[in-house]
Amino acid sequence: MHIKIIKRFLLILLPFLSFSQNNQLELWYTKPASQWEETLPLGNGRLGIMPDGGIETEKLVLNDITLWSGSPQDANNYMAYTFLPQIRELLLANKNSEAEQLINQNFVCTGPGSGSGDGANVQFGCYQVLGDMTLKFDYKTKSKAINYSRNLNIQTALASTQFTIDGVIYKREYFAGFGDDVLFVKLTSSKKGKLNFTVKLDRSEHFKTVNSDNSLVMTGQLNNGIDRKGMKYKAKVKAKTADGSVLYTNNTIEVKNATEVVLYVSAGTDFKNQNFETAVDKTLEIALQKKYDEQKKTHIQNYQKLFNRVALNFGKTARNTLPTNERLDAFMKDPDSDTGLPVLFYQYGRYLSISSTRVGLLPPNLQGLWAHQVQTPWNGDYHLDVNVQMNHWALETGNLSELNLPLKDLVKEMVPYGEKTAKAYYNADGWVAHVITNIWGFTEPGESASWGIAKAGSGWLCNNLWNHYLYTNDQAYLAEIYPIIKGAAQFYNSMLVKDPETGWLVTSPSVSPENSFFLPNGQDAHVCMGPTIDNQIVRELFNNVIAASTKLGLDNTLKSELEKRLKLLPPPGVVSPDGRIQEWLKPYKEPDPQHRHISHLYGLYPAPLITPESTPELAEAAKKTLEVRGDDGPSWSIAYKMLFWSRLKEGNRAYKLLKTILRPTLATNINYGAGGGVYPNLLSAGPPFQIDGNFGAAAGIGEMLIQSHAGFIELLPAMPDVWLKEGEVKGLKAEGNFTINMKWKNGKVMQYEIKSAMPSKVKVKVNGELKEITSSKL
């Protein structure tokens, strides 16, 4: 009986094993990290750890997703709305520069705002590193290490380091527990009693380290921007060993003559938890009572419940024998000979999502979960003009739908703040958010008109919220988000003004995110009426609120009003005299035709307003827009272009952009132009590290495999020639809560399954043929 069960289990498992062996989902290296951008990111959605694999000294950077400086503030200028008529009159008179000057004086946030991206010590605040855990080793020898390796296995969310000194094999294993909510570091030596090291905790400011309760404890309080009494945190480390000695002294842990040691790290903040210190202690004590192997097993099982939902294979060509840094170099020389690297990069994006957020907590910020500085670039905040949205674009297709919920929670908490901002600046109904936000609910304009008064943020966030509904059909969720999207629509509806030249209703004042244009007199201006992205977002949002109102049987009067207003909005795109989609109401010349933002193609992606099927002329204009914009930029911009080309069904062009993203770099300078790539640990480089490039590229690969926004599911809509030779994917999701499995060969889909909770009719485009089928039961 038992043999039969085992055989049956192996028959089930073998296809998956053979499937995965072609694409080893592992990053590995033959030397320690020389800079932080080479370290390996581990996270459980709350806590993060990045080991550098050092031999004599190892630095492990620690993170907590909730650790922010700053505090809630009211930076609204409550007299701003009194200047609105004058600003609008100046814009109508084509006096954009004068309008911008007036906005800078009276229509931005009060105080320092975000500190111009340097907000760690102002009230806006900053996402910060928790601290560094440093291990210093004494091997009792001057011999050098040989046979060095370190790796990150994204199928198990485990990292390891191994080397040999004087015949002793030293191993370290690390993970951020998906079972017990602590960080684990296990150290072993192949010969008895060869582990001798110290453990230290610190950070660059606001910390105190003590030995207490047979442990090493670091505590501190960050600057709130008022009286320096901001968020509190605590990190606690204990060592567990079967032999040797452990001494807690001199604000360190000293381990002597041990063979196996496990370090347990518990940490927390007082973000929404005033009893966090007790919780940190209790969590650690519970973890210490369990066997390490059991904790590791539970960790892998819980992680794989999410990760194993999707499996992908682009054939058998892979360079798994090369260290990842060398593999990147080889890919640049001959990308088509390593179809495994794009698979690894896609699954790495899913791994980073699982590792950097969890239901009930915060969404991934500009750096996901992983920061090594007190002042992170751009405050490590939530940018609302593409970045935080891009962080979530791969989740639905990648079968990680629930990881969208933390963003919903963040937006829900912003609404009351956004209602104050809507009244203060526009005397408008509903709520609005501009360009940046934080965990404190910041919705005010930024501190400069040139970028700070972009008002697409709240509507763009609503696209993410709506997208989750489209993929899940969750009616309870729809009822929850309805007040949010309704309030956003009410804001736009009450602040639209008529453009006298076209008769269209448009936003005023606004900007096209972070971009500028030349006025007829040659002046460089930012502020305008009705930038294309605003027009597209308002159109999409009104349609979504109308659909939700109908579905829920609510607000018939509002629905009727929005239906009337839709007829007065600009079309999804206006084609300029040179054949491109205009970024503004008028065909202004651009100071920077290759600007990193391509906001006026929002209607192509993420919105479904422009498609080759329904709006072929606009689709062609979008292509010309992208040709002029070029293929380079920071990584997130390259990823966005990859998504645009995927929506245009141009697989080879999308693949070209993916290859551009995978350019190796070690640069960490602030970059706004060309030169994006990836670091040796595959984190995306703007530079510096911005995780949206990882998530955007993963979303792009998903769009190349499957699209479902145009009223039907299309299989392999934008595949490059090199991936069409042979492949298989299991577990992708489509709108309507359908799950897709398929195999293809020589450019043709050979087998496919479309499954759902209940069999239902669905339109599918397979090998160029549109048909209607009935899904099978999941």
Side-chain angles (χ1 to χ4, degrees):
M1 181 64 181
H2 293 297
I3 293 174
K4 288 182 179 179
I5 292 173
I6 291 170
K7 284 183 176 179
R8 191 180 305 161
F9 175 75
L10 286 173
L11 285 172
I12 294 170
L13 189 62
L14 276 172
F16 178 76
L17 289 175
S18 62
F19 186 81
S20 63
Q21 282 168 356
N22 291 333
N23 299 281
Q24 294 177 14
L25 299 180
E26 182 179 66
L27 288 67
W28 70 280
Y29 310 85
T30 57
K31 59 184 179 179
S34 60
Q35 65 186 63
W36 178 74
E37 290 78 11
E38 295 181 87
T39 62
L40 297 173
L42 295 156
N44 65 5
R46 185 179 75 87
L47 297 177
I49 183 169
M50 297 185 77
D52 66 11
I55 298 169
E56 287 81 17
T57 300
E58 174 157 40
K59 185 176 181 180
L60 303 102
V61 179
L62 309 179
N63 291 107
D64 182 313
I65 191 68
T66 65
L67 187 62
W68 271 75
S69 63
S71 56
Q73 63 174 316
D74 190 339
N76 289 303
N77 177 357
Y78 285 98
M79 295 303 294
Y81 74 94
T82 63
F83 295 90
L84 187 59
Q86 187 180 351
I87 292 167
R88 286 173 168 170
E89 287 174 11
L90 289 169
L91 290 172
L92 286 170
N94 296 316
K95 297 181 178 180
N96 300 64
S97 297
E98 290 88 337
E100 186 166 336
Q101 185 177 3
L102 188 59
I103 290 169
N104 277 324
Q105 294 169 348
N106 302 287
F107 211 80
V108 294
C109 60
T110 60
S114 70
S116 297
D118 194 20
N121 293 305
V122 300
Q123 209 168 348
F124 184 88
C126 176
Y127 178 65
Q128 299 195 2
V129 62
L130 174 61
D132 297 327
M133 184 168 71
T134 305
L135 312 183
K136 290 193 174 181
F137 297 89
D138 181 2
Y139 298 103
K140 312 294 184 184
T141 179
K142 293 184 179 180
S143 299
K144 298 296 183 181
I146 60 172
N147 300 328
Y148 182 95
S149 68
R150 63 187 177 98
N151 82 304
L152 170 63
N153 185 329
I154 64 172
Q155 284 185 301
T156 58
L158 296 170
S160 67
T161 298
Q162 181 174 320
F163 52 86
T164 302
I165 298 178
D166 282 347
V168 181
I169 301 171
Y170 293 92
K171 294 182 181 180
R172 303 174 200 157
E173 185 171 64
Y174 327 79
F175 65 93
F178 277 85
D180 292 282
D181 194 11
V182 299
L183 305 171
F184 297 83
V185 181
K186 181 183 179 183
L187 306 98
T188 60
S189 62
S190 62
K191 294 182 181 179
K192 187 174 177 62
K194 292 295 184 178
L195 287 174
N196 295 275
F197 63 94
T198 60
V199 183
K200 179 183 176 183
L201 279 177
D202 64 12
R203 68 196 306 271
S204 61
E205 64 179 30
H206 300 309
F207 81 98
K208 178 183 179 182
T209 305
V210 298
N211 293 120
S212 174
D213 186 28
N214 285 325
S215 61
L216 180 62
V217 181
M218 182 173 70
T219 56
Q221 186 170 22
L222 305 189
N223 189 355
N224 60 1
I226 305 171
D227 57 10
R228 306 185 73 83
K229 295 180 180 179
M231 187 179 290
K232 297 177 181 178
Y233 68 87
K234 179 178 181 178
K236 188 173 183 178
V237 185
K238 278 197 173 185
K240 189 176 180 181
T241 180
D243 62 358
S245 64
V246 179
L247 184 64
Y248 298 92
T249 183
N250 298 324
N251 300 331
T252 63
I253 302 174
E254 293 184 12
V255 177
K256 294 183 179 180
N257 305 320
T259 309
E260 178 179 298
V261 182
V262 180
L263 301 177
Y264 297 78
V265 185
S266 182
T269 75
D270 65 354
F271 178 70
K272 298 185 178 180
N273 183 7
Q274 294 305 308
N275 298 317
F276 77 102
E277 291 180 293
T278 302
V280 168
D281 294 342
K282 187 175 180 181
T283 301
L284 184 59
E285 288 307 313
I286 291 172
L288 284 163
Q289 293 169 15
K290 300 177 184 177
K291 293 181 179 179
Y292 176 84
D293 287 343
E294 293 177 0
Q295 290 167 317
K296 178 180 170 181
K297 180 180 178 182
T298 301
H299 158 78
I300 294 171
Q301 288 174 339
N302 289 346
Y303 166 74
Q304 290 185 340
K305 287 175 184 176
L306 293 169
F307 184 79
N308 284 356
R309 292 175 185 173
V310 172
L312 177 62
N313 188 336
F314 288 152
K316 299 178 181 179
T317 307
R319 285 198 178 102
N320 299 322
T321 55
L322 288 177
T324 304
N325 56 311
E326 295 180 22
R327 188 177 182 184
L328 284 169
D329 293 335
F331 185 82
M332 285 299 99
K333 296 174 183 175
D334 187 9
D336 293 358
S337 68
D338 187 0
T339 56
L341 186 61
V343 172
L344 175 63
F345 198 54
Y346 173 75
Q347 291 286 31
Y348 188 57
R350 295 181 68 248
Y351 164 82
L352 294 172
S353 290
I354 298 167
S355 302
S356 61
T357 190
R358 69 165 72 157
V359 176
L361 274 180
L362 292 167
N365 56 55
L366 278 174
Q367 294 198 197
L369 169 67
W370 300 280
H372 69 117
Q373 297 158 295
V374 165
Q375 178 59 66
T376 43
W378 301 286
N379 295 323
D381 68 14
Y382 301 105
H383 273 43
L384 307 182
D385 56 357
V386 68
N387 309 89
V388 75
Q389 291 89 351
M390 184 177 287
N391 280 4
H392 295 78
W393 284 343
L395 293 176
E396 297 296 341
T397 302
N399 209 337
L400 296 172
S401 185
E402 64 266 53
L403 298 185
N404 261 314
L405 297 177
L407 180 64
K408 177 264 298 177
D409 293 339
L410 183 78
V411 176
K412 191 175 184 178
E413 292 182 4
M414 289 166 57
V415 170
Y417 299 95
E419 289 173 343
K420 291 182 179 181
T421 299
K423 286 294 183 188
Y425 291 83
Y426 308 96
N427 196 25
D429 299 329
W431 72 280
V432 65
H434 290 82
V435 185
I436 50 175
T437 194
N438 52 22
I439 66 168
W440 312 116
F442 189 92
T443 56
E444 294 88 330
E447 52 269 24
S448 172
S450 64
W451 56 271
I453 64 157
K455 56 187 54 59
S458 42
W460 201 330
L461 288 167
C462 289
N463 166 274
N464 284 69
L465 270 56
W466 181 255
N467 204 41
H468 180 72
Y469 166 68
L470 292 180
Y471 274 82
T472 61
N473 289 335
D474 186 334
Q475 299 304 303
Y477 170 83
L478 178 62
E480 183 181 2
I481 68 165
Y482 179 70
I484 302 173
I485 65 173
K486 172 187 171 182
Q490 287 174 314
F491 165 75
Y492 292 118
N493 185 43
S494 65
M495 64 83 60
L496 292 173
V497 297
K498 187 176 181 178
D499 171 42
E501 293 186 24
T502 62
W504 294 330
L505 293 177
V506 297
T507 58
S508 178
S510 194
V511 297
S512 188
E514 303 182 32
N515 205 359
S516 64
F517 54 90
F518 284 128
L519 292 168
N521 63 8
Q523 285 185 313
D524 189 355
H526 303 85
V527 177
C528 65
M529 294 174 59
T532 297
I533 184 173
D534 284 13
N535 305 332
Q536 294 170 337
I537 280 178
V538 172
R539 174 174 291 278
E540 180 201 29
L541 179 61
F542 283 9
N543 274 315
N544 292 345
V545 172
I546 290 167
S549 170
T550 303
K551 193 77 175 178
L552 296 170
L554 298 170
D555 295 322
N556 284 331
T557 302
L558 175 63
K559 181 176 75 170
S560 297
E561 183 178 354
L562 295 182
E563 287 172 339
K564 293 175 184 176
R565 303 282 269 186
L566 270 174
K567 298 175 183 177
L568 302 174
L569 297 178
V574 175
V575 180
S576 65
D578 65 1
R580 293 182 287 156
I581 291 180
Q582 285 183 189
E583 190 163 353
W584 299 274
L585 278 178
K586 299 176 181 179
Y588 295 120
K589 291 184 178 179
E590 307 131 293
D592 181 10
Q594 282 80 48
H595 194 271
R596 62 192 177 278
H597 281 269
I598 320 100
S599 303
H600 46 311
L601 295 191
Y602 174 93
L604 177 63
Y605 189 97
L609 301 175
I610 300 173
T611 69
E613 294 85 4
S614 64
T615 59
E617 290 183 4
L618 289 180
E620 284 302 313
K623 288 182 183 180
K624 292 181 180 178
T625 301
L626 289 168
E627 291 288 1
V628 172
R629 237 12 174 225
D631 289 344
D632 215 331
S635 283
W636 66 264
S637 180
I638 301 169
Y640 205 177
K641 294 166 186 173
M642 177 182 168
L643 282 155
F644 290 140
W645 283 111
S646 296
R647 281 281 173 100
L648 292 168
K649 315 294 177 70
E650 298 280 355
N652 287 327
R653 187 63 173 268
Y655 179 55
K656 178 178 182 285
L657 287 154
L658 176 63
K659 290 186 287 186
T660 305
I661 290 173
L662 288 169
R663 292 179 302 198
T665 185
L666 289 171
T668 59
N669 58 291
I670 298 289
N671 171 54
Y672 291 101
V678 295
Y679 295 113
N681 60 8
L682 296 188
L683 290 178
S684 72
F689 164 47
Q690 270 187 249
I691 205 166
D692 42 16
N694 289 100
F695 294 141
I701 293 172
E703 288 286 316
M704 295 160 86
L705 289 162
I706 181 174
Q707 294 179 23
S708 57
H709 61 282
F712 56 90
I713 299 171
E714 184 168 5
L715 307 184
L716 307 184
M719 291 286 278
D721 295 338
V722 66
W723 294 350
L724 280 171
K725 296 174 184 176
E726 181 182 10
E728 180 181 6
V729 67
K730 297 179 181 179
L732 293 183
K733 300 288 284 191
E735 288 185 14
N737 203 15
F738 293 100
T739 302
I740 315 298
N741 303 324
M742 59 176 160
K743 291 183 179 182
W744 63 91
K745 194 166 186 177
N746 297 326
K748 296 289 184 182
V749 176
M750 309 300 291
Q751 300 175 28
Y752 70 94
E753 294 177 303
I754 298 182
K755 298 185 174 185
S756 55
M758 295 297 294
S760 58
K761 290 188 176 181
V762 58
K763 290 181 180 178
V764 186
K765 191 171 186 179
V766 187
N767 297 330
E769 180 185 354
L770 187 63
K771 59 179 78 172
E772 186 173 77
I773 67 167
T774 300
S775 63
S776 56
K777 188 172 175 58
L778 191 63

